[in-house]
Amino acid sequence: MTNKMIFLNLPVRDLARSMSFFRALGYTFNEKFTDDSAACLVISETIYAMLLTHEKFQGFMPQGNQIVDAFQSTQALIALSCTDRDEVNALVAKAVAAGGRIYNEPQDHGFMYGHGFQDPDGHVWEVFWMDPAMAQG
């Protein structure tokens, strides 16, 4: 396989609010792929999330499908790795301070620690740390 990058597409109700939320978490946007209907959230050098207005998102969906409210129906859990437990906790705290909400308690499995938040549109972001020794097969 030669797939090298991931572009996750997410519908958002208020693009400016969503951009402000993710900036408060410390993320940036690629302005080349950002306009009044879409914003390219840079998660890493190979991972991006396209935040799309509902109208723009609808244009990419199969005909007849509808956008669902992510607070009512979860179709994906977006999991992002962190360097340590402190980074997990800091990112969740930033998300809550910026208007996100916690949907569960932290999970500590010894070799792995995770917590998560919902962004202002209800999308679930799980952030976790895993002992590097456990991550290697």
Side-chain angles (χ1 to χ4, degrees), residues 21 25 91-92 95 101-103 116-119 123-125 127:
F21 174 81
L25 273 60
L91 189 55
V92 172
R101 72 180 201 186
I102 293 173
Y103 66 92
F117 60 88
Q118 285 181 288
D119 67 24
H123 305 294
V124 175
W125 296 80
V127 289

Side-chain angles (χ1 to χ4, degrees), residues 1-2 14-15 22 25-28 32 34 38 48 61-62 64 75 80-81 98-99 102-104 110 114 116 118 129:
M1 298 292 291
T2 59
D14 182 333
L15 186 58
F22 285 104
L25 273 60
Y27 292 105
T28 61
K32 291 180 190 175
T34 299
Y48 303 87
M61 293 175 55
Q75 294 183 331
L80 300 175
S81 64
I102 293 173
Y103 66 92
N104 69 354
Q118 285 181 288
W129 164 85

